[in-house]
Amino acid sequence: MESQKLVISPAPHVHGSNDTRRMMGDVLIALLPALVVSVLVYGLQAFVVVAFSVACCVLVEWFVQKFIFKRPSTLGDLSAIVTGVLLGFNLPANMPLGLIAIGAVVAIGVAKMTYGGLGKNLFNPALVARVFLLVAFPVAMTTFPEATGAVSGATPLALAKESLKAGVPVGEVMQSVDLASMSLGMKSGSLGEISVVALLIGFGWLLVRRVISWHIPVCVLGTMALFSSITWLCAPEEYMSPLFHLLSGGAVLGAVYMATDYVTSPMTKKGMVVYGVGIGLITMLIRLWGPYPEGMSFAILIMNSVVPLIDKYIRPRRFGSVKSK
Amino acid sequence: MKTFPIGGIHPSDCKEYSKGAKIERFPVPATVTIPLSQHIGAPAVACVAKGDKVLVGQIIATAGGFVSSNIHSSVSGTVVAVEPKADAQGNMKPSITIAVEGDEWAEGIDRTDTVVKAINMSPKEIVDKIAAMGIVGMGGATFPTHVKLSVPDGKKAECLIINAVECEPYLTADYRVMLEQGERLLIGARILAKAIGVDKIYIGIENNKPDAIAHLTKLAGAYLEIEIVPLKMRYPQGGEKQLIAAVTGREVPSGKLPIDVGAVVQNVGTALAVYEAVAKNKPLIERVVTVTGSTLASPKNLLVRIGTPMSALVEYSGGIDGIGKVIAGGPMMGRAVSNLDAPVTKGTSGVLLMPTQESLRKAEGSCIRCAKCVEACPMGLEPYLLSALTQQNDYDQLEAHYIADCIECGCCTFSCPSYLPLLDWVRIGKAEVMKRMRERSQKK
Ligand code: SF4
Ligand code: SF4
C-alpha cells in the first residue's frame, strides 16, 4: 500500500469532554443568574462594575503574559474572565472604577501571575483583591447603595453585628430583616452576594455539568448551619439564627464559587471535607466573635494556605489498600 | 450491578460501527511475516530455514524459555526469509517470512465444525498442550497462557474469571466470538478451569452487551460451575485487577498478582484458542481482528491468519483515504502504527483507523488542579503529581507515591481538561522506578 504519513503518538488516542475552557464557561453561565439579579436590584451600575472588573483582569493578564513572561496569551482558558466576574461580585455596586482597576492588578498581577499564572497560585486571586481593598479602602468597600426597596445601606450582617454589640435583642434585630426577601436579593451587600436563590441555581448547574462536586459547598454551609444552630439554641437572645447566617453576607457566594476554586482547594474528596469544615468554622468564629461582620473571605484565604498540607496528608484511597474480603 | 471500586471513566463506546458485522474469514494473503516475539518473555527460536517447505499449523519456532511461546506457521508454502523485518512501529524484529502456496494443513488438526465437549486430558496434559500450541493472552497483553496456568507452590487458585469485558471502545472481536462461538468459548473456559483445578468460573460482561449476556447465560445453563456476571459499564473494567475486584470484591494488593487473591483471569479470545488447541489440536495461527473507524466504508470483524499485513485488512475494509492515525488495538491502550505493512500478531485485537482531524492532540495548557485525573485513576494514584515528579526526576518520591501500581490505562490523560500528556510522563517515570526496584532486588 502507498505509504502515507501517519500520526504517531502514545496512548490514549481519545480524550474526554473535560476542557478547561468549557468548565470555566460553565462557571460563567452559573454566575449569570446572580448577575441578572444584581442588575435588577442595583441597576446598570452593577453591570458596569462587573464588566469593568472583567476588562481590567483580562487586560492585566494579557499584559503580563505578553510583556513580562513573553509567553503566548492564556486568555483562551477564560480563567481571567471568571476572576474578573468574581472580583466584581465581591464589590459594592457604587465602587469607584479606579479602585476596581487596582483590585484587578492585585488579583491577576499579584495573586495569580507572580506565582506563575493559572494553576500555580496559592490564594484565590479575587479574594486576595477583595481583602486588599477591604483593608486599604474600607469606606468604599462597606458603603452600599440603597438597593431598590432594600432596607438600608449597611448589610444585614453588619447591621446585626452592630445592633447586637449595642445590646439590642435578637428579636428586634430580626424585625428589621425579612428572610424571604433576603434570599431573593432584597438586601444590601456586594453585588454577587445578594441573591442566594440565584447563586443556588448556578450551583445546580455546576453540579449537573460536573464542574464541581458537592463536598466543599455542603461542608462549608453545613458547618456554618451547625455552629450557628448551637449558639442560637444556647442563647437565642444573643445570637442570630442559622438561617440568617446562611442567607446573609457571602456565605453562599463564598461556599459555592470562591472556596471551590480548583487551584486553591484540595485534590481529594476527603481533603475537600476537611477544607470545607475549616472554612465554615473560621467564618463563624469571625462572624460571631471577630472584629469584622463577615469572615468568609478570611476563612477561605486561611484555608487556602492549609491546602498544601491537606494534600500532603490526605491522599486518595489506593487500589488494594483495604484488606481483602 | 457490580463494578470496580475506584476511579474509571466513561468513554463513548463507538462499538456500533462493527458490532453487527459477523466474523468473516479473511483470505489467505500472498506472503505472511511472522515475528519471533509476539508475546511477553523471551523470543522464540526459529526451527526452519530459508527454502524450507511448511504446512499450516507446523511449528516454525520453539519457545525460548519457560516464559516464552511456540510459534506455528499460519500458511503453507516456502520460507523465503528468516531475518529482521519492520514491526508496526518500524523497529526491526526477527521474523520468518513465508511465500504462500495453496492451503495445506499439517496432520492431526481437527478442522471440522463438530463441537467437542468432553475434556479427557489431565490438568498437566492440558497445560502442556496449551504451551505446545503457542497460546498467549489474546486481549493484548500476550502473556504466555501456560505460565499463567502454572500456579506457584504455596498458592491456590479459587476461581477462573473469563474477561469478556472488552472495555476498549470500538473493539468488537470478543463480542462477536461470544455471540457466534459461545458454546466453544464455554468449553474453553471449562478446560482452563480444569487446568488450574477450580470449580468456579465467572464470566464478566459489561451491560452494554445485553445480547451477549443473554446468549451466554442461556448456554451456561448447562454448566453449574459457570456464572455470568453482568457488570456496570466503566473503563478500565477489563484491567485484570479491576475485573477481579468487580467480580469477587477482592482487591489485589500493590505489587501482588491475581493468584494472591486466588484468581486466574483469561480473556474470551484466549478461551476460544484454548478450546481449539485442546479439543481440536489446532495451534494459534489465526485470530479475530476488528477493523473499524468512524469513516470506514465497511467496518469488519475478520478471522485473520497471523502474519497477514495490516494494510491488506485496511484496504479490504475501505481504505486509508482521510486517515490520520492507525492504531493496533483500541483507542485507550493501543499503539499507533507507523508501518502499515507490519503483520497482525497474536495480540492484535483490532486495527482502528482515525480520521485526520481526530488524530492530533490538542495544545497543552497548565494544570489547574481540578483533580479530574485523581478522580479518574482506577489505581487511586495522583497522576498530576506523578507527572510533575517525573519532570523533576524525583524517583524516590515517585516510588513513594506508588507509580509502580500504574496500569497505564490512560484514564488520567483522557480526563485532563488541560490536555496534559499525563500518562506519557508517568510511563517514563514508571519505567525508571521499575528499573531501580529490579536493580535493588538483584543486589539483595
Ligand atoms: S494510566 Fe496510570 S496513573 Fe493514569 S489513570 Fe491509569 S493507572 Fe492511574
Ligand atoms: S486533570 Fe489535568 S488539570 Fe486537572 S489536576 Fe489532573 S493534571 Fe491537573
Side-chain angles (χ1 to χ4, degrees):
Chain A
M1 185 179 286
E2 238 349 81
S3 78
Q4 90 181 60
K5 288 245 181 300
L6 290 170
V7 178
I8 300 294
S9 59
H13 306 283
V14 284
H15 192 275
S17 57
N18 289 342
D19 178 284
T20 305
R21 190 194 177 99
R22 195 215 88 198
M23 298 196 304
M24 294 294 167
D26 275 333
V27 175
L28 291 176
I29 292 172
L31 288 166
L32 259 184
L35 181 65
V36 170
V37 172
S38 71
V39 172
L40 288 180
V41 173
Y42 291 116
L44 209 58
Q45 57 173 345
F47 182 76
V48 172
V49 166
V50 174
F52 190 72
S53 164
V54 168
C56 292
C57 285
V58 166
L59 197 72
V60 175
E61 176 151 326
W62 174 82
F63 181 86
V64 174
Q65 281 286 13
K66 183 155 177 119
F67 295 106
I68 300 182
F69 289 160
K70 304 204 180 357
R71 291 190 304 208
S73 162
T74 44
L75 294 175
D77 62 32
L78 303 186
S79 66
I81 300 182
V82 171
T83 302
V85 175
L86 288 176
L87 175 60
F89 272 24
N90 275 294
L91 304 173
N94 54 349
M95 191 74 182
L97 296 187
L99 296 187
I100 298 180
I102 295 178
V105 171
V106 173
I108 301 284
V110 178
K112 182 177 178 186
M113 296 320 244
T114 49
Y115 286 88
L118 179 63
K120 315 240 170 30
N121 47 300
L122 184 58
F123 297 102
N124 185 317
L127 278 182
V128 172
R130 173 187 160 112
V131 168
F132 173 81
L133 292 173
L134 199 59
V135 174
F137 309 102
V139 179
M141 284 296 282
T142 48
T143 318
F144 300 95
E146 291 284 320
T148 336
V151 277
S152 115
T155 66
L157 260 183
L159 204 67
K161 187 139 191 161
E162 283 309 310
S163 313
L164 291 176
K165 236 193 247 164
V168 183
V170 168
E172 248 167 69
V173 180
M174 284 307 288
Q175 277 169 9
S176 63
V177 283
D178 168 4
L179 290 178
S181 56
M182 254 175 87
S183 55
L184 286 173
M186 296 296 131
K187 67 179 181 211
S188 306
S190 304
L191 286 183
E193 296 177 355
I194 55 175
S195 171
V196 171
V197 172
L199 291 171
L200 288 180
I201 292 173
F203 182 31
W205 175 254
L206 293 180
L207 287 182
V208 168
R209 301 283 290 170
R210 292 169 168 273
V211 176
I212 59 172
S213 66
W214 57 266
H215 299 77
I216 294 175
V218 168
C219 289
V220 172
L221 298 174
T223 306
M224 288 178 66
L226 194 72
F227 197 106
S228 52
S229 299
I230 295 171
T231 52
W232 183 57
L233 288 175
C234 289
E237 278 307 298
E238 278 170 54
Y239 297 106
M240 301 301 286
S241 73
L243 203 57
F244 174 83
H245 277 290
L246 292 184
L247 291 180
S248 59
V252 174
L253 180 67
V256 176
Y257 299 91
M258 316 290 283
T260 55
D261 171 35
Y262 286 143
V263 179
T264 54
S265 60
M267 297 295 267
T268 58
K269 295 283 172 325
K270 252 189 276 167
M272 289 178 188
V273 170
V274 172
Y275 168 84
V277 169
I279 291 173
L281 269 181
I282 297 173
T283 303
M284 287 316 297
L285 289 175
I286 296 177
R287 278 191 181 188
L288 296 185
W289 299 300
Y292 288 94
E294 173 56 310
M296 184 54 90
S297 313
F298 295 103
I300 295 176
L301 290 175
I302 291 170
M303 289 310 288
N304 281 167
S305 70
V306 185
V307 165
L309 215 62
I310 295 180
D311 280 340
K312 184 158 182 199
Y313 290 105
I314 303 184
R315 315 225 73 122
R317 151 154 134 64
R318 268 183 316 109
F319 185 94
S321 58
V322 289
K323 259 260 107 330
S324 286
K325 275 177 248 164
Chain B
M1 199 170 286
K2 293 180 169 179
T3 186
F4 56 95
I6 39 181
I9 55 172
H10 296 93
S12 43
D13 86 345
C14 296
K15 295 191 191 272
E16 64 275 10
Y17 301 116
S18 57
K19 71 188 279 203
K22 281 217 170 74
I23 298 173
E24 228 177 282
R25 196 172 277 284
F26 189 72
V28 181
T31 43
V32 293
T33 307
I34 304 179
L36 294 179
S37 186
Q38 305 180 32
H39 47 262
I40 289 178
V45 180
C47 57
V48 291
K50 188 175 172 186
D52 287 0
K53 295 272 179 207
V54 293
L55 298 173
V56 184
Q58 179 183 329
I59 189 160
I60 52 173
T62 52
F66 178 60
V67 184
S68 181
S69 178
N70 286 346
I71 290 171
H72 303 76
S73 177
S74 58
V75 294
S76 59
T78 309
V79 176
V80 292
V82 181
E83 61 187 29
K85 284 271 152 63
D87 72 359
Q89 281 73 41
N91 302 318
M92 300 305 279
K93 292 286 167 64
S95 307
I96 298 174
T97 308
I98 303 168
V100 177
E101 294 145 17
D103 195 30
E104 307 273 329
W105 286 60
E107 250 170 66
I109 300 175
D110 177 359
R111 297 178 63 201
T112 62
D113 272 342
T114 353
V115 177
V116 182
K117 289 192 182 171
I119 310 165
N120 299 322
M121 292 186 202
S122 72
K124 167 119 194 6
E125 285 168 336
I126 293 173
V127 175
D128 289 347
K129 188 78 186 170
I130 287 172
M133 296 286 126
I135 312 296
V136 303
M138 290 170 76
T142 63
F143 199 74
T145 302
H146 64 273
V147 181
K148 249 181 157 185
L149 295 178
S150 310
V151 179
D153 288 337
K155 309 244 159 100
K156 197 180 160 352
E158 289 165 35
C159 66
L160 170 73
I161 301 175
I162 297 296
N163 185 347
V165 171
E166 204 168 43
C167 61
E168 276 276 7
Y170 289 96
L171 302 187
T172 54
D174 286 353
Y175 168 76
R176 289 311 309 182
V177 167
M178 288 187 259
L179 290 187
E180 297 177 38
Q181 311 265 348
E183 179 80 55
R184 295 176 178 86
L185 164 65
L186 296 188
I187 300 169
R190 297 186 68 227
I191 295 171
L192 285 163
K194 185 168 180 188
I196 52 173
V198 300
D199 49 17
K200 186 73 213 175
I201 302 172
Y202 299 103
I203 303 187
I205 314 180
E206 284 190 332
N207 61 354
N208 60 339
K209 308 174 191 77
D211 41 353
I213 296 177
H215 182 63
L216 289 189
T217 306
K218 204 172 99 223
L219 291 177
Y223 307 110
L224 281 177
E225 74 271 37
I226 300 182
E227 183 183 330
I228 309 294
V229 187
L231 302 170
K232 202 165 122 208
M233 186 183 157
R234 195 148 65 112
Y235 177 87
Q237 194 125 244
E240 208 164 48
K241 292 186 170 182
Q242 277 65 35
L243 181 63
I244 296 169
V247 170
T248 68
R250 295 180 187 175
E251 292 180 24
V252 180
S254 173
K256 300 281 186 196
L257 295 171
I259 192 68
D260 292 305
V261 296
V264 173
V265 181
Q266 296 287 352
N267 113 309
V268 163
T270 317
L272 181 65
V274 162
Y275 163 79
E276 293 187 329
V278 175
K280 313 286 271 187
N281 200 34
K282 183 180 150 201
L284 180 43
I285 54 151
E286 54 188 4
R287 66 158 299 146
V288 183
V289 180
T290 302
V291 185
T292 183
S294 58
T295 56
L296 239 54
S298 54
K300 301 208 183 284
N301 296 293
L302 301 170
L303 182 62
V304 183
R305 299 285 173 94
I306 303 295
T308 305
M310 282 189 244
S311 52
L313 308 188
V314 170
E315 221 155 78
Y316 184 72
S317 311
I320 197 160
D321 283 346
I323 296 305
K325 196 193 260 183
V326 178
I327 298 157
M332 290 304 297
M333 293 185 76
R335 295 186 70 184
V337 173
S338 63
N339 170 27
L340 261 192
D341 291 320
V344 166
T345 63
K346 292 177 180 179
T348 312
S349 47
V351 177
L352 168 60
L353 292 99
M354 277 192 148
T356 312
Q357 72 272 16
E358 285 172 34
S359 302
L360 294 173
R361 288 181 168 183
K362 292 229 176 85
E364 283 172 39
S366 25
C367 173
I368 57 169
R369 291 181 39 91
C370 67
K372 299 282 176 197
C373 55
V374 179
E375 243 168 82
C377 179
M379 298 309 290
L381 308 178
E382 294 153 288
Y384 76 97
L385 187 64
L386 300 179
S387 156
L389 289 171
T390 302
Q391 292 173 58
Q392 296 156 14
N393 298 322
D394 192 342
Y395 299 108
D396 293 332
Q397 278 300 309
L398 282 170
E399 190 174 341
H401 287 101
Y402 303 95
I403 197 171
D405 280 3
C406 170
I407 58 168
E408 305 191 15
C409 64
C411 290
C412 46
T413 305
F414 180 91
S415 304
C416 178
S418 291
Y419 302 95
L420 297 179
L422 297 170
L423 177 52
D424 295 4
W425 288 112
V426 171
R427 260 195 215 102
I428 295 170
K430 179 183 163 187
E432 179 64 27
V433 167
M434 301 280 275
K435 199 178 111 209
R436 285 166 183 239
M437 290 167 82
R438 268 197 307 275
E439 282 167 5
R440 239 190 358 248
S441 68
Q442 272 160 10
K443 264 192 214 134
K444 265 187 209 147

